[in-house]
Amino acid sequence: MTIRRALLSVYDKTGIAAFARELHGLGVELLASGGTARALVEERIPVTSLEDLTGFTELLGHRVVSLHPAVHGGILARRDVPADLAELEAHGIAPIDLVCVNLYPFEKTVGRLDVPWEDAIEQIDVGGPALLRAAAKNHAHVVPLCRPADYAPLLEEFRSLAEVSLETRRELAGRAFQTTAAYDASVAAWFARDDAFPETFVPVFDRFAELSYGENPHQRAVYYAQRGLRTHLLARVEQVQGKPLSFNNLGDLSAARLLQLELEGPAAVIVKHGNPCGVGLGRTIEDAYAKALASDPVSAYGGVVALNRPVTGKLGRTLAKQFVEVLFAPGYDDAALTALQAKEVTRVLADAERRSFVTTERDFQRVLGGLLVQDRDADTDPLDGMDVVCGDPDAATWEDMLFAWSVAKHVVSNAIVIARGGQTLGIGGGQTSRIDAVRIAVDKARALGHSLDDAVLASDAFFPFADGVQIALEAGVGAIIQPGGSKRDAEVLEAVRNAGAAMVVTGRRHFRH
């Protein structure tokens, strides 16, 4: 189909004058709503205002502009239905072949703090979505445009072919319906902002990055960022070197960054297959990384490393000797970047603004035919809710217990974390029995030469029996932190007391499945 008559009605006027000038040069008659018409007149581009077309000025403070049969009749008429064309002729309505519309900035408006209710309501677009939906519905005969990025490709096709293909129109129609659907979803979400779990849940995600493949090479994959949040996993993150990020890279990076949020001071987190395998705190970032790597250097091979301090040349040279899939840090000095260039396989990411996640969003888990939604387990457990039920842990022991407790929250359940001196020594996760998780954590620590004397142990949920605790105590663990709540808590407490160890009960569990 060719374009003889176009309607332009845009809030965002980026590129609209150049686009309109090109259309005019190609012989297209231009119609425009009030603000857009004025912008084109200022650019000396011939245009007919909708007021002249419909015979009505803007009504109700600009609430009614384009809602008129002379407009929607021209858009919705089917060119291959004689009765439609006869009705247009009878009413003196000319067809409209292209509709270019973008919508009021509702999401930007409500993204401001304490926006007045009335201001938000006025940014709910009515006429724009109606125009866009009408054009998209009748894409067999009309070109729907909803974003400036599509102006140039559309003009190039129209100039070269003197028409716009059905394939292009279908693609643009799909984008138009995606745009109006997302717009409506943002309005619905704003109205339901005080309802944690509304009757209908309509989150919107925008494609952010193409991925080479999914968890396995035969699976396709894309990274989508949720619209409306203040930040996301790759927001303001610069990739300094390395291959494109993979599906698995992003999953591990998210796990590492979420754990990193809970750690104070220089900290290093190493994640493999969604689980932390080494976490270290230190006086310097070099010290923290050395601890994290020493926790479990075997599992760290090919992992994701997240650091919360800039990488120095010394640390860069150390990292270049390791096989690191992804390295994430607030920045890198020149010597570090030079050293890391020798390891081309490492994907090096820089957090340009050193921002933390906003962790109040919901967690989603896809299940067969549905979606599980819950609050994110992001709260810091209050110390006043924890009870020392046995022993008298000193300040250093308390620090280690809270450190291990933070790490355990991010290990797949059943989760056991053994730590000492701001370093994980053994991690057992993803087991179907808690005693197996304890055995794995103890055995890994011993195999790597870590002494467990006076170490602490954190468990993400209660111990159903005393056997798992007994294994840890016999290995040298001197303090345990766990939620409590088992029918056999008395047996667990007796085992700890008999060993002369300390135990803290938190009253809160942290399952992660």
Side-chain angles (χ1 to χ4, degrees):
M1 59 152 283
T2 191
I3 304 172
R4 298 181 180 86
R5 202 161 179 249
L7 168 60
L8 314 178
S9 180
V10 295
Y11 183 92
D12 177 4
K13 295 177 177 56
T14 302
I16 194 62
F19 180 57
R21 185 174 284 110
E22 285 277 348
L23 288 176
H24 175 68
L26 293 167
V28 177
E29 178 188 354
L30 301 178
L31 310 171
S33 61
T36 306
R38 287 189 292 273
L40 299 185
V41 168
E42 289 175 2
E43 295 289 331
R44 300 182 183 277
I45 300 170
V47 63
T48 299
S49 70
L50 287 187
E51 179 179 333
D52 292 337
L53 177 71
T54 65
F56 280 88
T57 60
E58 298 174 359
L59 299 177
L60 308 179
H62 198 71
R63 284 190 167 197
V64 180
V65 179
S66 59
L67 299 172
H68 192 279
V71 177
H72 284 271
I75 297 171
L76 285 166
R78 294 159 292 185
R79 295 2 176 218
D80 55 355
V81 176
D84 284 10
L85 299 180
E87 285 192 63
L88 290 188
E89 185 175 359
H91 293 284
I93 298 173
I96 295 173
D97 307 309
L98 181 146
V99 174
C100 178
V101 172
N102 57 56
L103 309 178
Y104 293 172
F106 178 82
E107 286 178 279
K108 182 178 180 180
T109 299
V110 300
R112 302 197 306 262
L113 295 177
D114 301 322
V115 60
W117 176 275
E118 296 77 11
D119 290 356
I121 294 299
E122 286 308 308
Q123 290 302 315
I124 299 175
D125 203 331
V126 175
L131 288 172
L132 204 51
R133 288 173 60 84
K137 175 176 180 176
N138 203 27
H139 68 273
H141 310 287
V142 180
V143 178
L145 278 178
C146 62
R147 63 177 191 177
D150 292 323
Y151 296 170
L154 187 281
L155 286 171
E156 182 179 357
E157 181 173 335
F158 186 43
R159 275 194 302 264
S160 62
L161 302 176
E163 65 177 12
V164 180
S165 69
L166 178 60
E167 180 182 6
T168 296
R169 281 175 275 137
R170 283 178 174 169
E171 179 182 344
L172 293 172
R175 187 168 298 137
F177 282 120
Q178 291 167 10
T179 297
T180 58
Y183 191 84
D184 287 343
S186 68
V187 175
W190 183 74
F191 271 92
R193 64 195 182 283
D194 295 327
D195 185 354
F197 301 103
E199 185 174 342
T200 301
F201 183 51
V202 284
V204 176
F205 295 83
D206 295 308
R207 187 171 59 196
F208 186 86
E210 299 280 352
L211 304 178
S212 52
Y213 56 83
E215 285 188 284
N216 302 291
H218 63 277
Q219 295 171 272
R220 297 180 297 171
V222 168
Y223 171 58
Y224 288 89
Q226 188 174 358
R227 189 183 295 188
L229 299 184
R230 296 187 183 278
T231 190
H232 64 87
L233 180 62
L234 295 181
R236 301 172 184 85
V237 172
E238 175 189 2
Q239 182 164 356
V240 178
Q241 75 169 43
K243 299 183 295 183
L245 292 161
S246 73
F247 183 96
N248 293 333
N249 291 159
L250 294 187
D252 286 351
L253 178 61
S254 180
R257 293 191 67 185
L258 286 170
L259 170 52
Q260 200 175 60
L261 281 177
E262 303 202 27
L263 305 176
E264 296 182 1
V269 176
I270 306 175
V271 167
K272 187 79 168 287
H273 300 313
N275 266 314
C277 59
V279 184
L281 303 178
R283 292 176 293 100
T284 66
I285 194 63
E286 290 87 356
D287 182 34
Y289 176 69
K291 286 183 173 181
L293 180 63
S295 295
D296 187 349
V298 175
S299 296
Y301 183 84
V304 168
V305 176
L307 309 170
N308 65 356
R309 296 292 190 276
V311 178
T312 61
K314 178 182 178 181
L315 181 53
R317 289 188 290 274
T318 299
L319 287 161
K321 298 175 183 177
Q322 313 297 325
F323 173 33
V324 176
E325 277 276 350
V326 179
L327 174 61
F328 178 90
Y332 306 82
D333 68 21
D334 291 342
L337 291 175
T338 299
L340 290 167
Q341 286 173 359
K343 208 75 170 183
E344 295 181 356
V345 296
T346 299
R347 301 161 174 89
V348 178
L349 307 181
D351 184 6
E353 297 192 11
R354 305 188 188 185
R355 290 196 173 195
S356 296
F357 279 136
V358 176
T359 58
T360 57
E361 69 264 27
R362 304 287 182 260
D363 271 339
F364 308 151
Q365 183 175 330
R366 191 76 169 91
V367 294
L368 184 63
L371 190 70
L372 299 176
V373 182
Q374 65 175 352
D375 294 327
R376 172 157 287 168
D377 187 9
D379 293 340
T380 300
D381 293 344
L383 289 178
D384 58 10
M386 299 182 182
D387 292 326
V388 179
V389 296
C390 182
D392 184 20
D394 59 21
T397 302
W398 262 109
E399 286 186 15
D400 281 341
M401 283 195 291
L402 295 176
F403 167 66
W405 182 242
S406 295
V407 176
K409 184 197 293 189
H410 297 268
V411 176
V412 175
S413 301
N414 289 315
I416 295 292
V417 174
I418 301 175
R420 185 183 56 240
Q423 177 186 27
T424 56
L425 305 177
I427 298 176
Q431 301 305 304
T432 52
S433 77
R434 194 156 300 277
I435 190 172
D436 286 343
V438 174
R439 287 194 182 106
I440 289 171
V442 169
D443 289 349
K444 286 176 75 73
R446 285 171 166 166
L448 293 165
H450 297 305
S451 168
L452 298 186
D453 290 344
D454 297 322
V456 305
L457 178 148
S459 174
D460 64 341
F462 65 63
F463 286 94
F465 303 96
D467 49 5
V469 168
Q470 195 64 51
I471 291 173
L473 294 169
E474 290 172 359
V477 166
I480 292 172
I481 183 169
Q482 55 113 348
S486 167
K487 292 180 179 179
R488 293 181 171 83
D489 272 355
E491 296 176 22
V492 173
L493 177 59
E494 182 181 4
V496 175
R497 183 179 287 119
N498 289 341
M503 186 163 69
V504 169
V505 171
T506 67
R508 179 186 288 191
R509 79 177 187 200
H510 288 294
F511 273 155
R512 175 178 167 238
H513 292 100

